[in-house]
Amino acid sequence: MQVRYRLCRVPQQSCLVRHALFSILQLFQKSQRPMRQSEIIAALSAQYERYDPEFQRQVRVNLRDAVDYGILKLKRRSRLFSLRSKRFGEIMDNLVPQGGWEL
């Protein structure tokens, strides 16, 4: 008896957003106000010129990670993300490598 395999095509993997968390923090530093998830995604989409759902998913994951790590605060009722300003300098020092970014 001959074994047959069903071949499936692997979906093309889209590229990751480079330095997404750093870009999110810069956005908060420039705006100096709490922002909703939709505002953050819209601003970063315009900055990166990417409007695909995969980009939006990656931004949402980075926002969730930033809240989990204590970098951002999330106000549950209003769903506003805000920067923990007391730790901003420390966070930026740890995010940027000593040799700078490799592009």
Side-chain angles (χ1 to χ4, degrees):
M1 183 171 199
Q2 192 175 24
V3 178
R4 293 179 183 235
Y5 296 100
R6 182 183 290 179
L7 298 177
C8 295
R9 191 172 235 190
V10 177
Q12 183 179 357
Q13 189 174 20
S14 62
C15 61
L16 295 175
V17 182
R18 292 183 63 107
H19 317 304
L21 183 56
F22 186 74
S23 297
I24 291 169
L25 293 178
Q26 283 183 328
L27 180 65
F28 274 107
Q29 188 180 21
K30 288 177 189 173
S31 68
Q32 296 181 347
R33 65 177 181 86
M35 299 176 77
R36 295 188 188 280
Q37 178 176 307
S38 57
E39 293 176 296
I40 297 167
I41 291 174
L44 291 178
S45 294
Q47 178 181 339
Y48 282 95
E49 296 179 355
R50 284 188 60 183
Y51 302 94
D52 54 302
E54 177 61 22
F55 175 81
Q56 295 174 8
R57 185 193 68 78
Q58 289 180 34
V59 172
R60 283 193 301 272
V61 167
N62 275 283
L63 285 171
R64 225 178 4 249
D65 288 347
V67 170
D68 291 344
Y69 296 147
I71 298 170
L72 297 178
K73 293 185 287 188
L74 174 62
K75 294 182 181 176
R76 298 283 180 198
R77 285 188 176 197
S78 58
R79 304 292 296 165
L80 289 171
F81 290 90
S82 60
L83 187 62
R84 292 187 185 265
S85 58
K86 293 179 182 177
R87 298 186 60 206
F88 185 73
E90 173 190 340
I91 292 166
M92 293 304 276
D93 289 343
N94 289 329
L95 272 179
V96 179
Q98 291 180 354
W101 294 112
E102 292 179 19
L103 298 176

